[in-house]
Amino acid sequence: MQKIAVLTSGGDAPGMNAAVRAAVRRAAYHGIQMYGVYHGYEGLMYGDIQEMTLGSVGDIIHRGGTILYSARSEEFKTEAGQQKAIDQLNRRGIEGLIVIGGDGSFRGAQKISEKGIRTIGVPGTIDNDIPCTDFTIGFDTALNTVVDAIDKIRDTATSHERTYIIEVMGRDAGDIALWAGLAAGAESILIPEAENDIEDIVERLESGHRRGKKHTIIIVAEGVGSAGYYADEIKRLTGLETRVTVLGHIQRGGSPTAFDRMLASRMGAAAVDLLIECKRDRMVGIRNNVIVDVDFQEALSQKHHLDLSIYQLARTLSI
């Protein structure tokens, strides 16, 4: 293999730059030319591709976002769009492609692989919702951002003796809400993977008030609905004054944590190694702190499973 390309796709995640850096430098170490594809699959179809050198990735390991930018593309979902992408790679003699992103990005990579270009996926999403890997790039940074925000909100909640309902990202997965809720000592955590009984939430809230508790923090994963809905229901049932905070895209930004930099560096380098070994149609993952690789089909056919023992632990500690 002489030429490899790398792209980032879907939502940005802290650590994507570290993964790009690792891939470019690992390729250079093995004497392989590396190309960066800008603006995801949209850029791939229209030839927004440039050669990358060691200097191209200097001083980016600490930066959030992605220097390759990202974009969503409806055209790429078509056969014609996929063929455009293949033609761009073939025109440059690029034999392998590394795709850093989530499940939608991996499905695109799978289509590229079916048409003859070896592809390897690197899981980059703050949602941590990709099967066959314990962690995805960006999750740890987003988690720390959320915990920091909750800590600050708790100061105000305490000062004003109020109930705060905080909505966090995660799409259809509750990982951010659960881990952040446990780490920040939230009284209730609402996630898609567990039953969310408003009566139970109210009972826990009122029980705390009977003990003299002056404030409450409730974390809502976006996959179960809006924080505003739960705020209205709690006020209707209890009469307690509530405040809503939707953290939004602040969770995607910022300098990646040391954990995400390490994870991204290991995964980016591993992706190059897999291509050198002539592997294709596979995803890099981490299990029990060991880098692994699994078939795209195996990964995409499974559902993400959240560890509900953590949920039970959070409930017992927040009585």
Side-chain angles (χ1 to χ4, degrees):
M1 183 160 291
Q2 301 299 312
K3 296 181 179 181
I4 296 173
V6 59
L7 66 80
T8 52
S9 176
D12 63 291
M16 280 184 165
N17 283 328
V20 171
R21 172 184 180 271
V24 170
R25 295 198 168 197
R26 186 71 143 201
Y29 177 82
H30 288 290
I32 298 170
Q33 280 184 281
M34 179 63 84
Y35 291 80
V37 180
Y38 291 80
H39 302 102
Y41 289 119
E42 189 76 11
L44 184 57
M45 287 188 299
Y46 291 96
D48 195 358
I49 303 170
Q50 298 178 27
E51 185 173 355
M52 301 188 79
T53 63
L54 293 176
S56 303
V57 293
D59 209 25
I60 68 168
I61 194 170
H62 63 289
R63 290 170 56 184
T66 164
I67 64 166
L68 295 178
Y69 306 108
S70 187
R72 303 188 189 278
S73 175
E74 290 300 315
E75 184 182 0
F76 181 75
K77 295 177 181 179
T78 67
E79 286 286 332
Q82 292 157 20
Q83 191 56 53
K84 279 185 183 179
I86 293 293
D87 291 343
Q88 292 288 355
L89 294 170
N90 287 337
R91 193 172 299 142
R92 293 166 175 78
I94 295 172
E95 306 155 88
L97 178 67
I98 297 171
V99 174
I100 306 169
D103 57 354
S105 304
F106 288 177
R107 292 182 196 282
Q110 197 173 30
K111 294 294 184 182
I112 293 285
S113 184
E114 290 170 359
K115 291 176 170 57
I117 302 292
R118 296 190 187 111
T119 60
I120 300 295
V122 174
T125 167
I126 67 168
D127 302 332
N128 203 45
D129 61 351
I130 304 296
C132 303
T133 184
D134 294 340
F135 297 105
T136 59
I137 295 167
F139 171 66
D140 186 68
T141 305
L143 174 62
N144 279 275
T145 297
V146 172
V147 169
D148 182 61
I150 295 171
D151 289 346
K152 289 180 170 64
I153 290 169
R154 187 182 290 280
D155 291 342
T156 297
T158 303
S159 299
H160 294 273
E161 300 181 337
R162 286 177 180 154
T163 296
Y164 269 77
I165 304 177
I166 303 168
E167 182 180 319
V168 302
M169 296 176 84
R171 206 168 56 166
D172 297 322
D175 294 59
I176 293 176
L178 177 58
W179 286 60
L182 176 59
E187 282 72 26
S188 290
I189 305 169
L190 284 65
I191 57 174
E193 296 87 350
E195 184 178 350
N196 299 295
D197 184 352
I198 189 67
E199 299 293 340
D200 177 66
I201 296 166
V202 167
E203 170 55 33
R204 294 167 71 85
L205 192 158
E206 291 181 333
S207 174
H209 275 268
R210 287 193 295 269
R211 297 197 320 271
K213 195 173 182 62
K214 301 298 186 182
H215 70 275
T216 301
I217 298 292
I218 299 172
I219 309 298
V220 178
E222 64 178 347
V224 302
S226 73
Y229 166 78
Y230 287 98
D232 291 341
E233 285 296 289
I234 288 170
K235 187 170 185 179
R236 180 179 66 83
L237 293 169
T238 68
L240 292 171
E241 188 175 5
T242 60
R243 289 290 185 270
V244 170
T245 300
V246 179
L247 293 183
H249 287 82
I250 189 175
Q251 296 159 89
R252 280 194 186 168
S255 181
T257 60
F259 180 87
D260 271 330
R261 298 183 200 192
M262 285 284 293
L263 180 64
S265 297
R266 294 174 72 187
M267 286 184 168
V272 173
D273 293 344
L274 290 172
L275 288 174
I276 291 173
E277 295 167 13
C278 294
K279 291 188 178 181
R280 63 191 301 155
D281 205 25
R282 301 188 73 77
M283 179 198 91
V284 179
I286 187 166
R287 290 175 176 165
N288 299 318
N289 203 32
V290 176
I291 295 295
V292 298
D293 60 280
V294 297
D295 184 83
F296 271 143
Q297 191 56 43
E298 178 185 349
L300 295 174
S301 64
Q302 297 184 36
K303 280 190 67 175
H304 165 67
H305 292 289
L306 180 146
D307 185 353
L308 287 177
S309 69
I310 300 175
Y311 179 73
Q312 295 302 327
L313 174 62
R315 282 182 61 82
T316 62
L317 297 184
S318 61
I319 57 173

